[in-house]
């Protein structure tokens, strides 16, 4: 089954206008394997600057812009929120939805996440749906139950047929920003569970969904992770703030 590989940078609440410039010119010289897309997700105030710099530097077509969050509402009296229409206006193509930091710090529920995925899809944007278990949940052997409980509301909300336009990022919470990466074997086993869970609803669709791994991915461990059958790229936090390291990670991805 042919799947695109995707390397997405989640800058979180980091970065600056000068890093945007540095990243765009860094990515300008990058050589990517066939079928690899790169997505940079800076904070909202920097989206336009990325789009503008990318246009000025004539950045290759498979480098995209993404947001880190979006409102589930179309428009209206939601002070402080950002809509999918606004993201479309600044030429974003992807949106990270349901990151574990949003779920734990801002109490986003799986139902709300499912609504966001629907809103994102209906605006013609691609959601990067984040799922993952905590350390306590993995120790209690609840990983599969937790992942299923995060996936099922989205399947119920949008229908499995619409997963052709969804990217899933598996990010074990205990591996985020800790330097502790899931071993390639553990990540592969969990990705296989996710693919099989989707396959229970529709095998053909499940084979097409890019499954990204996130959690302390860096230049040293990316190759082994991306070599796994069901790992189609990564969602990169800290290492995506270092242009040279991020370029190495992007160059090591291979589409299937
Ligand atoms: P780190 O790569 O810093 O562990 O962050 C992972 C992440 O949360 C990406 O969304």
């Amino acid at each position: 089954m042919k799947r695109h590989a995707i390397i997405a940078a989640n800058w979180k609440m980091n970065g600056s206008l000068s890093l945007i410039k540095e990243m765009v010119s860094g990515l300008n010289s990058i050589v990517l394997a066939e079928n690899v897309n790169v997505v940079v997700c800076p904070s909202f105030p920097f989206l336009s600057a990325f789009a503008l710099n990318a246009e000025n530097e004539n950045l290759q077509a498979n480098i995209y812009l993404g947001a880190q969050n979006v409102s589930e509402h179309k428009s209206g009296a939601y002070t402080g929120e950002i809509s999918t229409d606004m993201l479309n206006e600044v030429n974003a193509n992807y949106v990270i939805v349901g990151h574990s930091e949003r779920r734990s710090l801002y109490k986003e529920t799986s139902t709300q996440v499912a609504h966001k995925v629907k809103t994102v899809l209906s605006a013609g944007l691609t959601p990067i749906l984040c799922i993952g278990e905590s350390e306590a949940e993995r120790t209690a052997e609840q990983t599969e139950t937790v992942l299923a409980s995060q996936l099922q509301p989205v399947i119920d909300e949008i229908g499995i047929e619409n997963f052709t336009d969804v990217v899933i990022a598996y990010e074990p919470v205990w591996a985020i920003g800790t330097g502790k990466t899931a071993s390639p074997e553990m990540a592969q086993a969990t990705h296989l569970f996710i693919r099989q869970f989707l396959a229970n609803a529709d095998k053909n669709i499940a084979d097409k969904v890019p499954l990204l791994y996130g959690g302390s991915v860096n230049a040293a461990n990316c190759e082994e992770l991306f070599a796994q059958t069901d790992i189609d790229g990564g969602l990169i936090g800290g290492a995506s703030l270092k242009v040279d390291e991020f370029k190495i990670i992007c160059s090591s991805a291979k589409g299937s």
Side-chain angles (χ1 to χ4, degrees):
M1 167 51 58
K2 271 195 173 304
R3 279 190 299 269
H4 261 86
I6 298 170
I7 306 296
N10 177 8
W11 282 9
K12 310 190 181 186
M13 202 173 72
N14 299 297
S16 59
L17 278 179
S18 66
L19 187 60
I20 290 278
K21 285 202 179 108
E22 204 193 315
M23 181 60 82
V24 171
S25 59
L27 290 176
N28 209 358
S29 59
I30 199 170
V31 180
L32 296 172
E34 217 185 310
N35 273 337
V36 176
N37 287 349
V38 170
V39 185
V40 181
C41 305
S43 297
F44 292 127
F46 302 141
L47 291 171
S48 295
F50 185 94
L52 212 64
N53 277 276
E55 198 182 322
N56 289 344
E57 296 226 16
N58 207 4
L59 217 51
Q60 52 188 295
N62 44 356
I63 299 176
Y64 294 92
L65 180 59
Q68 297 173 18
N69 184 27
V70 74
S71 170
E72 70 262 47
H73 305 291
K74 280 299 282 176
S75 65
Y78 301 102
T79 301
E81 293 290 294
I82 304 280
S83 75
T84 48
D85 286 349
M86 295 170 191
L87 296 183
N88 266 320
E89 276 208 70
V90 295
N91 292 331
N93 290 98
Y94 289 81
V95 187
I96 297 171
V97 179
H99 191 279
S100 64
E101 288 149 19
R102 304 278 338 154
R103 292 178 191 260
S104 65
L105 301 172
Y106 302 99
K107 309 296 170 221
E108 280 189 20
T109 63
S110 290
T111 311
Q112 197 181 358
V113 168
H115 288 150
K116 289 191 177 197
V117 170
K118 189 173 192 178
T119 306
V120 168
L121 284 174
S122 45
L125 297 160
T126 303
I128 301 176
L129 166 65
C130 299
I131 57 174
E133 82 288 359
S134 67
E135 183 146 47
E137 288 161 344
R138 175 148 297 258
T139 309
E141 298 184 359
Q142 285 169 353
T143 299
E144 295 187 354
T145 316
V146 169
L147 298 178
S149 75
Q150 293 171 336
L151 283 170
Q152 193 59 50
V154 184
I155 299 176
D156 293 343
E157 180 75 27
I158 66 168
I160 190 69
E161 64 283 5
N162 287 311
F163 271 73
T164 45
D165 299 314
V166 174
V167 175
I168 295 176
Y170 166 60
E171 299 204 304
V173 177
W174 47 270
I176 295 178
T178 57
K180 272 199 241 173
T181 323
S183 68
E185 296 72 26
M186 185 196 275
Q188 164 58 25
T190 312
H191 279 224
L192 185 60
F193 166 77
I194 295 166
R195 204 175 299 288
Q196 283 168 345
F197 188 82
L198 298 174
N200 288 339
D202 188 312
K203 163 113 184 49
N204 277 332
I205 304 264
D207 281 344
K208 292 184 183 133
V209 179
L211 301 183
L212 317 186
Y213 170 79
S216 298
V217 178
N218 58 38
N221 61 24
C222 59
E223 203 145 340
E224 220 188 332
L225 284 161
F226 299 163
Q228 307 301 311
T229 318
D230 289 287
I231 300 185
D232 307 305
L235 182 53
I236 323 295
S240 73
L241 294 162
K242 300 171 203 146
V243 176
D244 289 339
E245 180 158 18
F246 186 60
K247 284 172 74 176
I248 295 172
I249 296 171
C250 293
S251 301
S252 69
K254 289 169 196 64
S256 53

